Amino acid sequence: MKQLLIHEIYQKEPIDQEICVKGWIKTRRDSKGGFSFLEINDGSSLKNLQIIADNSLKNYQQDILKLFPGASVKVEGILVSSPGGNQKMELKAESVRIYGFSDVTTYPLQKQRISFEKLREIAHLRGRTNTFGAVTRVRNALSFATHCFFQERNFYYLNTPIITTSDCEGAGQLFRVTTLDFNNLPKNKQGNINCESDFFSQEASLTVSGQLEAETYACGLGRVYTFGPTFRAENSNTSRHLAEFWMVEPEMAFTNLTQDIALAEDYLKYLINYILNHCKDDLEFFNLRIENSLLEQLNKIVSSKFITLTYTDAVKILSRNRNFSFPVEWGIDLQSEHEQYLTEVEFKKPVVLTDYPKSIKPFYMRMNDDNKTVAAMDVLLPKIGEIIGGSQREERLDCLQNRLKELDLHENDYWWYLDLRRYGTVPHSGFGLGFERLVKLCTGMGNIRDTIPFPRVPGNAKF
RNA sequence: UCUACAAUAGCUUAAUGGUAAAGCUUUUGGCUGUUAACCAAAAGAAUAUCAGUUCGAUUCUGAUUUGUAGAGCCA
């Protein structure tokens, strides 16, 4: 007997064939006509399969009438076309084997609405709900599409280290990695902790970005991308931040900022096109239940040509509007309200801002000829805000050394990064995309904690 | 971290300075090729924690904890 996933059944419609399905009960409705309707779901689709369990089944009284949401079953029978209105097919059961019952008095996922906040407290079970099933399938599709996109363009998938000893960007608080005994920390004469006896013989922490390591391999293999976890110990309590999140970071040798922007735009459109074509049911569900403008937003991103303008021009546009709570002047970092104004009021489409003042960007970005701005770019989306940040990297040794000095950073700490500029330096560029923010964009979920199976945030790393 | 708001049955919500109401879930009965079914009954709550005001606090005040939204930081 052929075992099928529910999504395969809806795809192939093997009517009148004998099949086997395994999954979890969503609901049971009994008919006094002498049978029960079981809705089962196996995670392969948003759709459930309706099972007809007749009371002539051996274990009808004993088992089937005790099936409640959450129970796991194997059903064998014949797939028939359904007389009911809401489904094309149903499975007429010849046998129902129960793997595990579910206690209806304690199982939290009954057929009733549960808030996302409550579901976060039972993250081990929320994957069984419609919403989190759909989020997980879309997240998977985006992940697969990411690899497809870069592989098709001859990028190598690169695994950069998760434990690092360099705070390269100087950005963000780091999570310390140590095996020292906290109750008996080794101290030197000055009273500071002596890291030489620690596991790595120096201070180590979880990575905040794989970019600098990715640059090293891009300057040898040409095109690489990373896709891995990153960690920020910032005390950020918002619906857009996680302490542990996944980042996609392509890095390309022999490219400038214009090519970097083009790649970013292609990548975003590729991803959205992919899910529009491969996750139709899930996206329609999100559009109906979660965010009514989702499909409109996604289609708009795919169909619009992104606007590119310099930070300086953006400041000119923003200066015309006096109604901001943070006044705009050249040199400030743009606030959320300013980004929103550009994407939602002024242009009403994705906007790529370029050439930011050097003072608000990290040391590795390439200095422009004006010596005031750097070759940076941020992709801003309506309603979402910044989703991609990138730049052309500084490839000139002397310029990079000057920047390190200006920012009071020590050359010694960046010796290997500087070596790339000493030996066969090339212009190169890249960007970073926060994967959970992408999932948020593509599902319409309001809180980033609901875009990753087990979110890590200040004060909470349960499960 | 800052600002605002919230916390009441298993879940989702209501109400009131005088110990709490409803829907869903559950149980029982009725009806039914049903489909987040329907009808009737039953069961189910020291109203987040700790103080204070008061004859009396779930309601007012303060603190704490947790959560949400926005801001900052950023992806």
Side-chain angles (χ1 to χ4, degrees), chain A residues 29 32 37 50 84-85 87 90 111-113 115 118 120 232 235-236 238-242 335 437:
Chain A
R29 295 180 294 275
K32 284 297 186 299
F37 299 97
Q50 177 163 289
Q87 64 279 320
E90 61 191 21
K111 50 173 183 179
Q112 62 206 353
R113 270 176 205 281
S115 63
K118 189 59 84 176
R120 265 172 235 149
R232 307 270 167 99
N235 190 10
S236 295
T238 80
S239 54
R240 304 182 308 284
H241 290 85
L242 292 166
Q335 308 292 322
R437 288 192 180 170

Coordinates of all heavy atoms in Angstrom, one line a residue, chain A residues 29 32 37 50 84-85 87 90 111-113 115 118 120 232 235-236 238-242 335 437, chain B residues 1 10-12 24-27 31-37 67-75:
Chain A
R29 N -15.3 14.9 14.2 CA -16.8 15.2 14.3 C -17.5 13.8 14.1 O -17.3 13.1 13.1 CB -17.2 16.1 13.2 CG -16.6 17.5 13.3 CD -17.1 18.4 12.2 NE -16.6 18.0 10.9 CZ -15.4 18.3 10.3 NH1 -14.6 19.1 11.0 NH2 -15.0 17.9 9.2
K32 N -24.2 10.6 13.8 CA -25.0 9.5 14.3 C -25.4 8.6 13.1 O -26.0 7.6 13.3 CB -26.3 10.1 14.9 CG -26.0 10.7 16.3 CD -25.5 9.6 17.3 CE -25.4 10.1 18.7 NZ -24.4 11.2 18.8
F37 N -16.0 11.8 11.2 CA -15.1 12.5 10.3 C -13.8 12.8 11.1 O -13.9 13.4 12.2 CB -15.7 13.8 9.9 CG -17.0 13.6 9.1 CD1 -18.2 13.8 9.7 CD2 -16.9 13.4 7.7 CE1 -19.4 13.6 9.0 CE2 -18.1 13.3 7.0 CZ -19.3 13.4 7.6
Q50 N -9.6 14.7 5.0 CA -10.8 14.2 5.8 C -10.8 12.7 5.7 O -10.7 12.1 4.6 CB -12.1 14.8 5.2 CG -13.3 14.3 5.9 CD -14.5 15.1 5.7 OE1 -14.6 16.2 6.2 NE2 -15.4 14.6 4.9
G84 N -19.2 15.9 0.2 CA -19.2 17.2 1.0 C -18.7 18.3 0.2 O -18.0 18.2 -0.8
G85 N -19.1 19.5 0.6 CA -18.8 20.7 -0.2 C -17.4 21.2 -0.2 O -16.9 21.7 -1.1
Q87 N -14.4 19.7 0.3 CA -13.2 19.0 -0.2 C -13.5 18.1 -1.3 O -14.6 17.6 -1.5 CB -12.6 18.2 1.0 CG -13.4 17.1 1.5 CD -14.5 17.6 2.5 OE1 -14.2 18.5 3.3 NE2 -15.7 17.1 2.4
E90 N -11.7 12.4 0.0 CA -11.6 12.0 1.4 C -11.2 10.6 1.4 O -11.3 9.8 0.4 CB -13.0 12.1 2.0 CG -14.1 11.3 1.4 CD -15.5 11.6 1.9 OE1 -15.7 12.7 2.5 OE2 -16.4 10.8 1.8
K111 N -9.4 23.0 19.2 CA -9.8 23.8 18.0 C -10.4 25.2 18.5 O -11.6 25.3 18.7 CB -10.8 23.1 17.2 CG -12.0 22.4 17.9 CD -13.0 21.8 17.0 CE -14.2 21.3 17.7 NZ -15.2 20.7 16.8
Q112 N -9.5 26.1 18.7 CA -9.9 27.4 19.3 C -8.7 28.3 19.0 O -7.6 27.9 18.7 CB -10.1 27.3 20.8 CG -8.9 26.9 21.5 CD -9.1 26.2 22.8 OE1 -10.2 26.1 23.3 NE2 -8.1 25.7 23.4
R113 N -9.0 29.6 19.0 CA -7.9 30.5 18.7 C -7.0 30.6 19.9 O -7.4 30.6 21.1 CB -8.5 31.9 18.6 CG -8.9 32.3 17.2 CD -9.5 33.6 17.1 NE -10.4 33.7 15.9 CZ -9.9 34.0 14.7 NH1 -8.6 34.1 14.5 NH2 -10.7 34.0 13.7
S115 N -3.5 32.9 21.1 CA -2.7 34.0 20.8 C -1.3 33.6 20.5 O -0.8 32.6 21.0 CB -2.7 35.0 21.9 OG -2.1 34.5 23.1
K118 N 0.8 33.2 23.6 CA 0.6 31.9 24.3 C 1.4 30.8 23.6 O 2.0 30.0 24.2 CB -0.9 31.7 24.4 CG -1.3 30.5 25.3 CD -0.8 30.7 26.7 CE -1.8 31.5 27.5 NZ -1.4 31.5 28.9
R120 N 4.1 31.0 21.9 CA 5.5 31.1 22.2 C 5.9 30.4 23.5 O 7.0 29.9 23.6 CB 5.9 32.6 22.3 CG 6.4 33.2 21.0 CD 6.7 34.6 21.2 NE 5.9 35.3 20.1 CZ 5.4 36.5 20.2 NH1 5.6 37.2 21.3 NH2 4.7 37.0 19.2
R232 N 23.9 38.6 18.7 CA 24.1 40.0 19.2 C 23.5 40.1 20.6 O 22.4 39.7 20.9 CB 23.3 41.0 18.3 CG 23.6 41.0 16.9 CD 24.8 41.8 16.4 NE 25.2 41.5 15.1 CZ 24.9 42.2 14.0 NH1 24.1 43.2 14.1 NH2 25.4 41.8 12.8
N235 N 20.6 44.6 24.2 CA 19.4 44.5 25.0 C 18.3 45.2 24.2 O 17.7 46.2 24.5 CB 19.5 45.2 26.3 CG 18.3 44.9 27.2 OD1 17.5 44.1 26.9 ND2 18.3 45.7 28.3
S236 N 17.9 44.6 23.0 CA 16.9 45.1 22.2 C 15.6 44.3 22.3 O 15.5 43.2 22.1 CB 17.3 45.0 20.7 OG 18.4 45.8 20.4
T238 N 12.3 44.4 20.8 CA 11.4 44.9 19.7 C 10.9 43.7 19.0 O 11.4 42.6 19.1 CB 12.1 45.9 18.8 OG1 12.8 45.1 17.8 CG2 13.1 46.8 19.4
S239 N 10.0 44.0 18.1 CA 9.4 42.9 17.3 C 10.3 42.7 16.0 O 9.9 42.0 15.1 CB 8.0 43.2 16.8 OG 8.0 44.5 16.2
R240 N 11.5 43.4 16.0 CA 12.4 43.2 14.8 C 13.7 42.7 15.2 O 14.6 42.6 14.3 CB 12.5 44.6 14.1 CG 11.3 45.3 13.7 CD 11.6 46.6 13.0 NE 12.5 47.4 13.8 CZ 12.1 48.1 14.8 NH1 10.9 48.1 15.2 NH2 13.0 48.9 15.5
H241 N 14.0 42.4 16.4 CA 15.3 41.9 16.9 C 15.3 40.6 17.6 O 14.4 40.3 18.4 CB 15.9 43.0 17.8 CG 16.2 44.3 17.2 ND1 15.3 45.3 17.0 CD2 17.4 44.7 16.6 CE1 15.9 46.3 16.4 NE2 17.1 46.0 16.1
L242 N 16.4 39.8 17.3 CA 16.6 38.6 18.0 C 18.1 38.6 18.5 O 18.9 39.2 17.8 CB 16.4 37.4 17.0 CG 15.0 37.1 16.6 CD1 15.0 36.2 15.4 CD2 14.1 36.6 17.7
Q335 N 16.4 58.0 10.9 CA 15.5 57.3 11.9 C 14.5 56.5 11.1 O 14.2 56.8 9.9 CB 14.8 58.3 12.8 CG 15.8 59.3 13.5 CD 16.7 58.7 14.5 OE1 16.3 57.8 15.2 NE2 17.9 59.1 14.5
R437 N 14.1 38.7 9.2 CA 13.3 39.9 8.7 C 12.7 39.6 7.3 O 11.7 40.0 6.9 CB 14.2 41.1 8.6 CG 14.5 41.6 10.0 CD 15.2 43.0 10.0 NE 15.4 43.4 11.3 CZ 16.1 44.5 11.7 NH1 16.6 45.2 10.7 NH2 16.3 44.8 12.9
Chain B
rU1 P 17.0 46.5 31.2 OP1 18.1 45.7 30.6 OP2 16.9 46.7 32.6 O5' 17.1 48.0 30.6 C5' 18.1 48.9 31.0 C4' 18.0 50.2 30.2 O4' 18.3 49.8 28.8 C3' 16.6 50.8 30.1 O3' 16.4 51.7 31.2 C2' 16.7 51.6 28.8 O2' 17.4 52.8 29.0 C1' 17.5 50.7 27.9 N1 16.7 49.8 27.1 C2 16.1 50.4 25.9 O2 16.3 51.6 25.7 N3 15.3 49.6 25.2 C4 15.0 48.3 25.4 O4 14.3 47.7 24.6 C5 15.6 47.7 26.6 C6 16.4 48.5 27.3
rG10 P -7.8 27.1 34.3 OP1 -7.9 25.8 35.0 OP2 -6.9 28.1 34.9 O5' -7.3 26.8 32.9 C5' -6.0 26.2 32.6 C4' -5.9 25.9 31.2 O4' -6.9 24.9 30.9 C3' -6.1 27.0 30.2 O3' -5.0 27.7 29.9 C2' -6.7 26.3 29.0 O2' -5.6 25.7 28.2 C1' -7.5 25.1 29.7 N9 -8.9 25.5 29.9 C8 -9.5 25.5 31.1 N7 -10.8 25.8 31.1 C5 -11.0 26.1 29.7 C6 -12.2 26.5 29.0 O6 -13.3 26.7 29.5 N1 -11.9 26.6 27.7 C2 -10.8 26.3 27.0 N2 -10.8 26.5 25.7 N3 -9.6 26.0 27.7 C4 -9.8 25.8 29.0
rC11 P -5.0 29.3 29.7 OP1 -3.6 29.8 29.5 OP2 -5.9 29.9 30.6 O5' -5.7 29.4 28.2 C5' -5.0 29.0 27.1 C4' -5.9 29.2 25.8 O4' -7.1 28.4 26.0 C3' -6.4 30.6 25.6 O3' -5.4 31.3 24.9 C2' -7.7 30.4 24.8 O2' -7.4 30.1 23.5 C1' -8.2 29.1 25.5 N1 -9.2 29.3 26.6 C2 -10.4 29.8 26.2 O2 -10.7 30.0 25.0 N3 -11.4 30.0 27.2 C4 -11.0 29.8 28.5 N4 -12.0 30.0 29.4 C5 -9.7 29.3 28.8 C6 -8.8 29.1 27.9
rU12 P -5.3 32.9 25.1 OP1 -4.2 33.4 24.2 OP2 -5.2 33.2 26.6 O5' -6.7 33.4 24.6 C5' -6.9 33.5 23.2 C4' -8.3 34.1 22.9 O4' -9.3 33.2 23.4 C3' -8.6 35.4 23.5 O3' -8.0 36.5 22.8 C2' -10.1 35.4 23.5 O2' -10.6 35.8 22.2 C1' -10.4 34.0 23.8 N1 -10.7 33.7 25.2 C2 -12.0 34.0 25.6 O2 -12.9 34.4 24.9 N3 -12.3 33.7 26.9 C4 -11.4 33.3 27.9 O4 -11.8 33.1 29.0 C5 -10.1 33.1 27.4 C6 -9.8 33.3 26.1
rC24 P -20.2 28.0 22.5 OP1 -20.9 27.4 21.3 OP2 -20.5 27.6 23.9 O5' -18.6 27.7 22.2 C5' -18.0 27.9 21.0 C4' -16.5 27.7 21.1 O4' -16.0 28.6 22.0 C3' -16.1 26.3 21.6 O3' -16.1 25.3 20.6 C2' -14.6 26.7 22.0 O2' -13.8 26.8 20.9 C1' -14.9 28.0 22.6 N1 -15.1 27.9 24.1 C2 -14.0 27.6 24.9 O2 -12.9 27.5 24.4 N3 -14.2 27.5 26.2 C4 -15.4 27.6 26.8 N4 -15.5 27.5 28.1 C5 -16.5 27.9 26.0 C6 -16.3 28.0 24.6
rU25 P -16.5 23.9 21.0 OP1 -16.4 23.1 19.8 OP2 -17.7 23.9 21.8 O5' -15.3 23.4 22.0 C5' -14.0 23.2 21.5 C4' -13.1 22.9 22.6 O4' -13.1 23.9 23.6 C3' -13.5 21.7 23.5 O3' -13.2 20.4 22.8 C2' -12.7 21.9 24.7 O2' -11.3 21.6 24.5 C1' -12.8 23.4 24.9 N1 -13.9 23.8 25.8 C2 -13.7 23.6 27.1 O2 -12.7 23.3 27.6 N3 -14.8 24.0 27.9 C4 -16.0 24.4 27.5 O4 -16.9 24.7 28.3 C5 -16.2 24.5 26.1 C6 -15.1 24.2 25.3
rU26 P -14.2 19.2 22.9 OP1 -13.6 18.1 22.1 OP2 -15.6 19.7 22.5 O5' -14.2 18.9 24.4 C5' -13.1 18.4 25.1 C4' -13.3 18.1 26.5 O4' -13.6 19.4 27.2 C3' -14.6 17.3 26.8 O3' -14.3 15.9 26.7 C2' -15.0 17.7 28.2 O2' -14.1 17.1 29.2 C1' -14.6 19.2 28.2 N1 -15.8 20.0 27.8 C2 -16.7 20.3 28.9 O2 -16.6 19.9 30.0 N3 -17.8 21.1 28.5 C4 -18.0 21.6 27.2 O4 -19.0 22.3 27.0 C5 -17.0 21.3 26.2 C6 -16.0 20.5 26.6
rU27 P -15.4 14.9 26.1 OP1 -14.7 13.6 25.9 OP2 -16.1 15.6 24.9 O5' -16.5 14.8 27.3 C5' -16.1 14.2 28.5 C4' -17.3 14.3 29.5 O4' -17.5 15.7 29.8 C3' -18.6 13.8 28.9 O3' -18.7 12.4 28.9 C2' -19.6 14.5 29.8 O2' -19.7 13.9 31.1 C1' -18.9 15.9 30.0 N1 -19.3 16.9 29.0 C2 -20.5 17.6 29.3 O2 -21.1 17.4 30.3 N3 -20.8 18.6 28.4 C4 -20.1 18.9 27.3 O4 -20.5 19.8 26.5 C5 -18.9 18.1 27.0 C6 -18.6 17.2 27.9
rC31 P -32.1 12.2 18.2 OP1 -33.4 11.5 17.7 OP2 -30.9 11.4 18.5 O5' -31.7 13.3 17.2 C5' -32.6 14.2 16.7 C4' -32.0 15.3 15.8 O4' -31.0 16.1 16.6 C3' -31.1 14.7 14.7 O3' -31.8 14.3 13.6 C2' -30.2 15.9 14.4 O2' -30.8 16.9 13.7 C1' -29.9 16.4 15.8 N1 -28.7 15.8 16.4 C2 -27.5 16.3 16.1 O2 -27.4 17.3 15.3 N3 -26.4 15.8 16.6 C4 -26.5 14.7 17.5 N4 -25.3 14.2 18.0 C5 -27.7 14.2 17.8 C6 -28.8 14.7 17.3
rU32 P -31.2 13.1 12.7 OP1 -32.2 12.7 11.7 OP2 -30.7 12.0 13.6 O5' -29.9 13.8 12.0 C5' -30.1 14.8 11.0 C4' -28.8 15.4 10.7 O4' -28.1 15.9 11.9 C3' -27.8 14.4 10.1 O3' -28.0 14.1 8.8 C2' -26.5 15.2 10.4 O2' -26.3 16.3 9.5 C1' -26.7 15.8 11.8 N1 -26.2 14.9 12.8 C2 -24.9 15.1 13.1 O2 -24.1 15.9 12.6 N3 -24.4 14.2 14.1 C4 -25.1 13.3 14.8 O4 -24.6 12.6 15.6 C5 -26.5 13.2 14.4 C6 -27.0 14.0 13.5
rG33 P -27.2 12.9 8.2 OP1 -27.9 12.5 6.9 OP2 -26.8 11.9 9.2 O5' -26.0 13.8 7.7 C5' -24.8 13.1 7.2 C4' -23.8 14.2 6.8 O4' -22.6 13.6 6.4 C3' -24.3 15.0 5.6 O3' -23.6 16.3 5.5 C2' -23.9 14.2 4.4 O2' -23.7 14.9 3.2 C1' -22.5 13.7 5.0 N9 -22.0 12.4 4.5 C8 -22.7 11.2 4.5 N7 -22.1 10.3 4.0 C5 -20.8 10.8 3.7 C6 -19.6 10.2 3.2 O6 -19.5 9.0 2.9 N1 -18.6 11.1 3.1 C2 -18.7 12.5 3.4 N2 -17.6 13.2 3.2 N3 -19.8 13.0 3.9 C4 -20.8 12.1 4.0
rU34 P -24.2 17.7 6.0 OP1 -25.6 17.4 6.5 OP2 -24.0 18.6 4.8 O5' -23.3 18.2 7.1 C5' -23.6 17.9 8.5 C4' -22.3 17.7 9.3 O4' -21.6 16.6 8.8 C3' -21.3 18.9 9.1 O3' -21.6 19.9 10.0 C2' -20.0 18.2 9.5 O2' -19.9 18.0 10.9 C1' -20.2 16.8 8.9 N1 -19.6 16.6 7.6 C2 -18.2 16.5 7.6 O2 -17.6 16.5 8.6 N3 -17.7 16.4 6.3 C4 -18.3 16.4 5.1 O4 -17.7 16.2 4.1 C5 -19.7 16.5 5.2 C6 -20.3 16.7 6.4
rU35 P -21.4 21.5 9.5 OP1 -21.7 22.3 10.6 OP2 -22.0 21.6 8.1 O5' -19.8 21.5 9.2 C5' -18.9 21.6 10.3 C4' -17.5 21.4 9.7 O4' -17.4 20.3 8.9 C3' -17.1 22.6 8.8 O3' -16.6 23.7 9.6 C2' -16.0 21.9 8.0 O2' -14.7 21.9 8.7 C1' -16.5 20.4 7.9 N1 -17.1 20.2 6.6 C2 -16.3 19.7 5.6 O2 -15.1 19.6 5.7 N3 -17.0 19.5 4.4 C4 -18.3 19.6 4.2 O4 -18.7 19.3 3.1 C5 -19.1 20.1 5.3 C6 -18.5 20.3 6.4
rA36 P -15.7 24.9 9.0 OP1 -16.6 26.1 8.9 OP2 -15.1 24.3 7.8 O5' -14.6 25.2 10.0 C5' -13.7 24.2 10.6 C4' -13.8 24.2 12.1 O4' -13.0 25.3 12.6 C3' -15.2 24.4 12.7 O3' -15.3 23.8 13.9 C2' -15.2 25.9 12.9 O2' -16.2 26.3 13.9 C1' -13.8 26.2 13.4 N9 -13.3 27.5 13.2 C8 -13.6 28.4 12.2 N7 -13.1 29.6 12.4 C5 -12.3 29.4 13.5 C6 -11.5 30.3 14.2 N6 -11.3 31.5 13.8 N1 -10.9 29.9 15.4 C2 -11.2 28.6 15.8 N3 -12.0 27.7 15.2 C4 -12.5 28.2 14.1
rA37 P -16.0 22.4 13.9 OP1 -16.2 21.9 15.3 OP2 -15.4 21.5 12.9 O5' -17.5 22.8 13.3 C5' -18.5 23.2 14.2 C4' -19.7 23.5 13.4 O4' -20.1 22.3 12.7 C3' -20.9 23.9 14.2 O3' -20.9 25.3 14.6 C2' -22.1 23.6 13.3 O2' -22.2 24.5 12.2 C1' -21.5 22.3 12.6 N9 -22.0 21.1 13.4 C8 -21.2 20.3 14.2 N7 -21.9 19.3 14.8 C5 -23.2 19.5 14.3 C6 -24.4 18.8 14.5 N6 -24.5 17.7 15.2 N1 -25.5 19.2 13.8 C2 -25.4 20.3 13.0 N3 -24.3 21.0 12.8 C4 -23.2 20.6 13.4
rG67 P 8.7 38.1 28.8 OP1 9.3 37.0 28.0 OP2 9.5 39.3 29.2 O5' 7.4 38.6 28.1 C5' 6.4 37.6 27.6 C4' 5.2 38.3 27.2 O4' 4.6 39.1 28.4 C3' 5.3 39.4 26.1 O3' 5.4 38.8 24.8 C2' 4.0 40.2 26.4 O2' 2.9 39.5 25.9 C1' 3.9 40.2 27.9 N9 4.5 41.4 28.4 C8 5.7 41.6 29.1 N7 5.9 42.8 29.5 C5 4.8 43.5 29.1 C6 4.5 44.9 29.2 O6 5.1 45.8 29.7 N1 3.3 45.2 28.6 C2 2.5 44.3 28.0 N2 1.3 44.7 27.5 N3 2.7 43.0 27.9 C4 3.9 42.7 28.4
rU68 P 6.1 39.6 23.7 OP1 6.2 38.7 22.5 OP2 7.3 40.3 24.2 O5' 5.1 40.8 23.3 C5' 3.8 40.4 22.7 C4' 3.0 41.7 22.6 O4' 2.7 42.3 23.9 C3' 3.6 42.8 21.8 O3' 3.5 42.6 20.4 C2' 2.8 44.0 22.3 O2' 1.5 44.0 21.7 C1' 2.6 43.7 23.7 N1 3.7 44.3 24.6 C2 3.6 45.6 24.9 O2 2.7 46.3 24.5 N3 4.6 46.1 25.7 C4 5.7 45.4 26.2 O4 6.5 46.0 26.8 C5 5.8 44.1 25.8 C6 4.8 43.5 25.0
rA69 P 4.6 43.2 19.4 OP1 4.3 42.7 18.1 OP2 5.9 43.0 20.0 O5' 4.2 44.7 19.4 C5' 3.0 45.2 18.8 C4' 2.9 46.7 19.1 O4' 2.7 46.9 20.5 C3' 4.0 47.5 18.6 O3' 4.0 47.8 17.3 C2' 3.8 48.8 19.5 O2' 2.8 49.6 18.9 C1' 3.4 48.2 20.8 N9 4.5 47.9 21.7 C8 5.2 46.8 21.9 N7 6.1 46.8 22.8 C5 6.1 48.2 23.2 C6 6.8 48.9 24.2 N6 7.8 48.4 24.9 N1 6.5 50.2 24.3 C2 5.5 50.7 23.6 N3 4.7 50.1 22.7 C4 5.1 48.8 22.5
rG70 P 5.4 48.0 16.5 OP1 5.1 48.1 15.1 OP2 6.4 47.0 16.9 O5' 6.0 49.4 17.0 C5' 5.3 50.6 16.6 C4' 5.8 51.8 17.4 O4' 5.6 51.5 18.8 C3' 7.3 52.1 17.4 O3' 7.7 52.7 16.2 C2' 7.5 52.9 18.6 O2' 7.0 54.2 18.4 C1' 6.6 52.2 19.6 N9 7.3 51.2 20.4 C8 7.4 49.8 20.2 N7 8.2 49.2 21.0 C5 8.7 50.2 21.8 C6 9.6 50.2 22.9 O6 10.2 49.3 23.4 N1 9.9 51.5 23.4 C2 9.3 52.7 22.9 N2 9.6 53.8 23.5 N3 8.4 52.7 21.9 C4 8.2 51.5 21.4
rA71 P 9.2 52.5 15.7 OP1 9.3 53.3 14.4 OP2 9.6 51.1 15.7 O5' 10.1 53.3 16.8 C5' 10.0 54.7 16.9 C4' 10.9 55.2 18.1 O4' 10.5 54.6 19.3 C3' 12.3 54.8 18.0 O3' 13.0 55.7 17.1 C2' 12.8 55.0 19.4 O2' 12.9 56.3 19.8 C1' 11.6 54.4 20.2 N9 11.8 53.0 20.4 C8 11.2 51.9 19.8 N7 11.6 50.7 20.3 C5 12.4 51.1 21.3 C6 13.2 50.3 22.2 N6 13.2 49.0 22.2 N1 13.9 50.9 23.1 C2 14.0 52.3 23.1 N3 13.3 53.1 22.3 C4 12.6 52.4 21.4
rG72 P 14.3 55.1 16.3 OP1 14.7 56.2 15.3 OP2 13.9 53.8 15.7 O5' 15.4 55.0 17.4 C5' 16.0 56.1 18.0 C4' 16.9 55.7 19.1 O4' 16.2 54.9 20.1 C3' 18.0 54.7 18.6 O3' 19.1 55.5 18.1 C2' 18.4 53.9 19.9 O2' 19.2 54.6 20.7 C1' 17.0 53.8 20.5 N9 16.3 52.5 20.1 C8 15.4 52.4 19.1 N7 15.0 51.1 18.9 C5 15.7 50.4 19.9 C6 15.6 49.1 20.3 O6 15.0 48.2 19.8 N1 16.5 48.8 21.3 C2 17.3 49.7 22.0 N2 18.0 49.2 23.0 N3 17.3 51.0 21.7 C4 16.5 51.3 20.6
rC73 P 19.8 55.0 16.8 OP1 20.9 55.9 16.5 OP2 18.8 54.7 15.8 O5' 20.5 53.6 17.2 C5' 21.6 53.5 18.0 C4' 21.9 52.1 18.3 O4' 20.7 51.5 19.0 C3' 22.2 51.2 17.1 O3' 23.5 51.3 16.7 C2' 21.8 49.8 17.6 O2' 22.9 49.3 18.4 C1' 20.7 50.1 18.6 N1 19.4 49.9 17.9 C2 18.8 48.6 18.0 O2 19.3 47.7 18.7 N3 17.6 48.4 17.4 C4 17.0 49.3 16.7 N4 15.8 49.1 16.1 C5 17.6 50.6 16.6 C6 18.7 50.8 17.2
rC74 P 23.8 51.5 15.1 OP1 25.2 51.2 14.9 OP2 23.2 52.8 14.6 O5' 23.0 50.3 14.4 C5' 23.7 49.3 13.7 C4' 23.0 48.0 14.0 O4' 21.7 48.3 14.7 C3' 22.5 47.2 12.8 O3' 23.6 46.4 12.3 C2' 21.4 46.4 13.4 O2' 21.9 45.3 14.1 C1' 20.7 47.3 14.3 N1 19.6 48.1 13.8 C2 18.4 47.4 13.5 O2 18.4 46.1 13.6 N3 17.3 48.0 13.0 C4 17.4 49.4 12.9 N4 16.3 50.0 12.4 C5 18.5 50.1 13.2 C6 19.6 49.4 13.6
rA75 P 23.7 46.1 10.7 OP1 25.1 45.6 10.5 OP2 23.1 47.3 10.0 O5' 22.7 44.9 10.4 C5' 22.9 44.1 9.2 C4' 21.6 43.4 8.8 O4' 21.2 42.5 9.9 C3' 20.4 44.3 8.6 O3' 19.6 43.8 7.6 C2' 19.7 44.3 10.0 O2' 18.3 44.5 9.9 C1' 19.9 42.8 10.4 N9 19.9 42.6 11.8 C8 20.7 43.2 12.7 N7 20.5 42.9 14.0 C5 19.5 42.0 13.8 C6 18.8 41.2 14.8 N6 19.1 41.2 16.1 N1 17.8 40.4 14.4 C2 17.6 40.3 13.1 N3 18.2 41.0 12.1 C4 19.1 41.8 12.5

